[in-house]
Amino acid sequence: MLNNFLFRSFNLLLTNIYNKNVKKFGYTPRGLFWNSKDSQFKRFKILTKLIEENTDHEILKIADIGCGYGDLLTYFKKELRVKFHYYGCDINKQFIELCKKKHKNVDFFVSDSPIEFCDFSIMNGTYNFAVYENLKLWEKYIEYNLTKCFAKSDKGIIFSLQKSDFSQIVNSIYYVNTELMEKKLINLFKNVRSFYYEDTPRDVYFVVLKS
């Protein structure tokens, strides 16, 4: 119960920080703490590839957790070579209101996890910005959210983190040691794979499947 209360407070802090950052940089990638649109699209391309490689090309239901401005949906409409139904979730009400204006007839929800069952939950850097400097507690927050997403995902979850030789929080950015995180994920979920790509050298991508 104490952790649940604490993690809800993390969500409130994150919402306030992102609102201030958007006020400073506008609705741009920098407003979401990304370096540029180019780096954002490189990550979108990789997530698209991982989805396509882990499906039999049936119609997928995708939940975008931490959807921000809904830019991943814009990319999927152009590039994802699988028929899909999408809905977006974000803890930031301001972002959800923007998404609803940008993407008519698409469902968006104020939530930190899927509100209904999906095939895949996708988290693109959703847990990179740490509002708390205690590494173990921030990792517990990530595990808590991943577990909620996994429970509502029939096929699995796909997500990215920033990587480093050591798990650490530097200037509010969480960096993970891939081997240690993979061990934790295997203990939680069993079927886990990690991927690196030259286009995003600081990122590691995890695919966690149910079968």
Side-chain angles (χ1 to χ4, degrees):
M1 286 294 293
L2 180 60
N3 277 352
N4 289 353
F5 175 80
L6 186 60
F7 295 159
R8 285 197 298 270
S9 74
F10 285 3
N11 286 350
L12 290 174
L13 285 170
L14 281 165
T15 297
N16 291 334
I17 288 167
Y18 274 83
N19 283 346
K20 288 178 181 177
N21 210 51
V22 165
K23 191 173 182 179
K24 182 177 180 180
F25 295 109
Y27 290 107
T28 65
R30 289 191 71 187
L32 295 176
F33 296 99
W34 294 115
N35 289 330
S36 66
K37 184 168 284 189
D38 179 62
S39 66
Q40 186 184 44
F41 278 14
K42 286 177 179 177
R43 292 178 175 91
F44 290 171
K45 183 178 180 179
I46 292 166
L47 292 170
T48 300
K49 170 183 168 68
L50 291 173
I51 291 170
E52 291 174 349
E53 289 177 348
N54 288 281
T55 182
D56 295 326
H57 294 281
E58 71 272 31
I59 298 176
L60 289 179
K61 191 167 190 178
I62 296 172
D64 181 6
I65 309 302
C67 63
Y69 317 142
D71 290 337
L72 184 57
L73 173 58
T74 303
Y75 188 89
F76 279 170
K77 285 179 176 179
K78 295 178 181 178
E79 303 295 341
L80 184 57
R81 294 174 297 177
V82 179
K83 291 183 179 179
F84 68 95
H85 174 74
Y86 167 106
Y87 71 87
C89 296
D90 203 288
I91 59 175
N92 192 311
K93 184 179 179 181
Q94 182 175 316
F95 293 170
I96 293 301
E97 289 173 353
L98 175 69
C99 287
K100 288 179 177 179
K101 292 176 182 176
K102 284 177 62 178
H103 300 285
K104 304 296 183 183
N105 302 315
V106 177
D107 291 326
F108 290 93
F109 305 94
V110 179
S111 178
D112 60 3
S113 59
I115 51 88
E116 57 188 39
F117 279 95
C118 59
D119 291 307
F120 283 110
S121 292
I122 308 296
M123 289 76 80
N124 178 36
T126 302
Y127 312 114
N128 287 351
F129 193 95
V131 296
Y132 200 75
E133 293 296 323
N134 184 305
L135 180 65
K136 288 186 178 179
L137 193 55
W138 187 252
E139 290 182 335
K140 286 291 184 184
Y141 171 77
I142 294 173
E143 291 169 14
Y144 170 79
N145 282 288
L146 292 177
T147 300
K148 288 200 297 181
C149 292
F150 190 74
K152 284 290 188 76
S153 304
D154 289 335
K155 292 185 179 296
I157 59 177
I158 300 173
F159 65 99
S160 65
L161 295 169
Q162 298 276 283
K163 67 182 179 69
S164 175
D165 291 338
F166 305 96
S167 295
Q168 57 187 325
I169 296 172
V170 181
N171 296 326
S172 297
I173 302 299
Y174 170 67
Y175 296 89
V176 66
N177 173 281
T178 303
E179 283 189 23
L180 291 178
M181 177 56 76
E182 196 161 355
K183 287 179 182 178
K184 289 180 181 180
L185 294 173
I186 288 171
N187 286 334
L188 286 170
F189 307 117
K190 308 304 181 189
N191 189 353
V192 178
R193 289 173 293 157
S194 60
F195 299 87
Y196 302 98
Y197 297 91
E198 290 183 0
D199 283 349
T200 59
R202 296 180 181 177
D203 291 32
V204 57
Y205 299 81
F206 292 97
V207 176
V208 183
L209 300 178
K210 287 200 169 175
S211 61

